[in-house]
């Protein structure tokens, strides 16, 4: 019943926007709504401030400052607030629609005054479960807007680098901040894939030791997880390629040089993902093969036992017939002789099977 309800919820979310005009801001999240919070990190090579703005005006004030600003919006369920932020920053309504659409496929769009991208921020939670969080990045002249579903993210490394008094990021512009955030998302894919590799190794061990139906269920879940990861990660390679080839003045040549490193990581991730995908697909084949081998072993034992008892059954059947004149029935030691013959047949067949290496 719980699974049926989950399917119904997914079906409902999928059709929330049916019939609505393009650009309609409709939150497509499937998680409990959290309060929308905004944090702004403002910095230069000799300045570092963290702001917690209380209204839209304080947020928009960082749009055209000479410093570099990272405007981080957590919580996408407040559609009116997202619309206000987008309006004051001059974002297209189609962009705002994609920001709150948590089912949006990763993509990149270039506009005259900004570059917009949506990604899947993947990480492993405390329960060792995969979390795919929707995140949207907007690169502008002096600031980067980040919209994310949950309070947790993979950007702590970037925050620490900004907080440090020395480091490249403090001397660079907003385009380098955009790269650093994107690079953090990509680098965390390695952590997720490493977790997938551990799961595959554990399932392989289970397959060899005890291939139960529960193991088969875990394999199916892993296959679904790998396909999800592939759906979220695969487009990133093309996105980084487009950024490198972009003619937008918002991206400097220096930043494009660093984006090439992110592109190399994307290729490596996609290659590893392809390997894990094939390994996950082969696990079910291994399971079926092991189950078939176990069945063959059982059938082999039953066949050998049947072959051993067939001649004994024949002997017992002959002397169990209700004829009056069966000469051997009159023998004084006939019973013991028949038993001896059957034991000899049993031992002889065991020796024969052993020599043939059937047992």
């Amino acid at each position: 019943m719980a699974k049926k309800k989950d399917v119904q919820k997914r079906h409902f979310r999928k059709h929330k926007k049916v019939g609505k005009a393009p650009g309609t801001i409709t939150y497509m999240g499937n998680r409990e709504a959290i309060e929308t919070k905004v944090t702004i990190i403002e910095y230069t090579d000799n300045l570092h401030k963290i702001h917690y703005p209380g209204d839209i005006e304080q947020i928009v004030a960082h749009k055209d400052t000479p410093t570099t600003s990272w405007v981080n919006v957590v919580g996408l369920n407040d559609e009116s607030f997202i619309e206000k932020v987008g309006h004051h920053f001059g974002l297209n309504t189609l962009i705002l629609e994609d920001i709150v659409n948590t089912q949006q496929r990763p993509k990149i769009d270039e506009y005259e005054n900004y570059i917009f991208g949506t990604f899947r921020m993947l990480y492993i939670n405390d329960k060792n479960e995969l979390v795919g969080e929707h995140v949207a990045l907007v690169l502008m002249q002096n600031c980067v807007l980040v919209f994310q579903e949950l309070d947790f993210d993979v950007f702590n490394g970037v925050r620490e680098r900004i907080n440090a008094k020395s480091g490249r990021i403090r001397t660079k512009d907003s385009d380098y901040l955009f790269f650093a955030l994107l690079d953090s998302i990509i680098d965390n894919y390695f952590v997720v894939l490493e977790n997938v590799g551990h799961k595959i190794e554990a399932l392989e061990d289970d397959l060899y030791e005890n291939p139960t139906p529960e193991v088969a269920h875990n394999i199916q879940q892993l296959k679904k997880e790998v396909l999800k990861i592939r759906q979220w990660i695969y487009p990133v390679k093309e996105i980084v390629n487009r950024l490198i080839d972009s003619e937008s003045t918002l991206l400097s040549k220096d930043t494009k040089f660093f984006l090439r490193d992110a592109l190399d990581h994307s290729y490596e991730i996609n290659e590893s993902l392809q390997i894990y995908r094939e390994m996950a697909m082969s696990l079910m084949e291994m399971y079926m093969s092991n189950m078939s081998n176990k069945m063959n072993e059982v059938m082999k034992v039953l066949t050998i036992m049947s072959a051993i008892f067939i001649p004994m059954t024949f002997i017992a059947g002959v002397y169990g017939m209700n004829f009056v004149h069966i000469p051997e029935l009159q023998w004084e030691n006939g019973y013991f002789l028949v038993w001896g013959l059957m034991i000899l047949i049993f031992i002889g067949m065991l020796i024969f099977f052993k020599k043939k290496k059937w047992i």
Side-chain angles (χ1 to χ4, degrees):
M1 182 62 71
K3 288 185 178 179
K4 186 176 180 181
K5 287 182 178 179
D6 290 340
V7 171
Q8 290 174 343
K9 286 181 180 179
R10 288 197 297 269
H11 181 78
F12 174 73
R13 290 196 304 271
K14 198 171 183 180
H15 291 83
K16 270 184 180 180
K17 298 170 63 177
V18 173
K20 294 186 178 181
T24 303
I25 303 174
T26 306
Y27 177 58
M28 300 288 288
N30 58 353
R31 301 184 177 96
E32 292 182 1
I34 63 172
E35 182 183 357
T36 302
K37 297 182 294 183
V38 179
T39 305
I40 300 176
I41 300 178
E42 180 185 11
Y43 66 90
T44 61
D45 56 344
N46 54 13
L47 170 71
H48 177 238
K49 291 182 179 179
I50 300 177
H51 306 277
Y52 302 95
D55 53 44
I56 293 291
E57 285 71 22
Q58 292 178 359
I59 299 173
V60 179
H62 293 270
K63 178 182 177 182
D64 298 315
T65 59
T67 59
T68 300
S69 298
W70 170 5
V71 180
N72 200 83
V73 180
V74 177
L76 306 179
N77 56 291
D78 192 342
E79 298 165 353
S80 61
F81 177 80
I82 299 296
E83 186 175 10
K84 288 178 183 177
V85 171
H87 174 73
H88 284 84
F89 277 90
L91 301 182
N92 191 293
T93 54
L94 294 174
I95 294 299
L96 299 179
E97 180 184 9
D98 290 338
I99 287 175
V100 297
N101 181 9
T102 58
Q103 310 300 317
Q104 176 63 48
R105 184 177 184 270
K107 69 170 189 175
I108 197 81
D109 288 329
E110 295 184 31
Y111 291 81
E112 184 178 355
N113 299 321
Y114 57 90
I115 296 176
F116 169 75
T118 60
F119 306 90
R120 277 287 173 171
M121 186 162 53
L122 304 183
Y123 53 86
I124 307 299
N125 64 15
D126 296 336
K127 299 178 181 178
N128 199 34
E129 297 172 337
L130 174 67
V131 178
E133 182 181 345
H134 171 75
V135 60
L137 306 180
V138 182
L139 169 62
M140 307 189 81
Q141 186 63 45
N142 294 315
C143 72
V144 175
L145 303 177
V146 178
F147 298 88
Q148 58 188 81
E149 289 183 82
L150 303 176
D151 203 11
F152 186 85
D153 56 42
V154 298
F155 301 140
N156 285 335
V158 179
R159 294 185 180 95
E160 291 172 1
R161 288 162 59 191
I162 294 174
N163 189 45
K165 292 183 179 180
S166 60
R168 182 184 296 113
I169 195 168
R170 291 279 291 268
T171 62
K172 297 291 184 180
D173 296 328
S174 58
D175 59 334
Y176 187 85
L177 173 61
F178 182 85
F179 154 73
L181 296 171
L182 175 57
D183 191 53
S184 294
I185 294 173
I186 293 174
D187 284 347
N188 212 64
Y189 291 160
F190 285 107
V191 178
V192 172
L193 290 182
E194 184 179 358
N195 181 266
V196 171
H198 291 326
K199 288 182 179 180
I200 290 176
E201 290 176 2
L203 284 173
E204 283 181 339
D205 293 339
D206 291 340
L207 279 175
Y208 284 115
E209 294 173 5
N210 186 24
T212 61
E214 183 181 356
V215 173
H217 173 74
N218 292 336
I219 292 173
Q220 286 296 110
Q221 293 300 112
L222 178 65
K223 286 171 61 178
K224 292 178 181 179
E225 184 174 295
V226 170
L227 289 174
K228 272 186 180 180
I229 294 173
R230 185 177 185 274
Q231 180 185 2
W232 293 332
I233 289 180
Y234 190 78
V236 175
K237 176 181 64 176
E238 296 178 7
I239 289 174
V240 178
N241 245 328
R242 283 191 58 187
L243 289 171
I244 293 173
D245 295 336
S246 172
E247 297 181 358
S248 173
T249 57
L250 293 172
L251 290 169
S252 65
K253 291 182 179 179
D254 192 35
T255 299
K256 288 183 179 180
F257 177 80
F258 290 106
L259 280 169
R260 294 185 184 278
D261 182 64
L263 181 62
D264 291 340
H265 290 172
S266 298
Y267 278 115
E268 184 180 349
I269 288 168
N270 276 281
E271 289 171 0
S272 300
L273 182 60
Q274 183 63 25
I275 292 171
Y276 286 142
R277 180 171 177 264
E278 292 174 1
M279 291 176 68
M281 295 298 181
S282 67
L283 284 176
M284 185 56 72
E285 296 177 9
M286 291 173 59
Y287 171 78
M288 298 303 296
S289 177
N290 285 343
M291 291 299 291
S292 178
N293 289 338
K294 286 185 69 175
M295 182 62 70
N296 288 340
E297 288 295 323
V298 172
M299 294 302 296
K300 180 180 176 182
V301 172
L302 293 176
T303 302
I304 290 173
M305 295 299 294
S306 299
I308 290 174
F309 282 98
I310 283 173
M312 298 182 189
T313 304
F314 173 75
I315 294 172
V318 169
Y319 291 106
M321 292 188 293
N322 294 323
F323 291 108
V324 175
H325 300 291
I326 298 179
E328 293 84 356
L329 295 179
Q330 305 303 318
W331 292 354
E332 183 178 351
N333 297 317
Y335 174 77
F336 300 104
L337 290 172
V338 170
W339 264 110
L341 176 62
M342 289 193 291
I343 291 171
L344 285 173
I345 291 172
F346 177 76
I347 294 172
M349 295 190 76
L350 285 178
I351 294 172
F352 176 76
F353 291 146
K354 191 73 174 176
K355 284 186 176 181
K356 289 288 187 179
K357 295 184 180 180
W358 292 348
I359 57 175

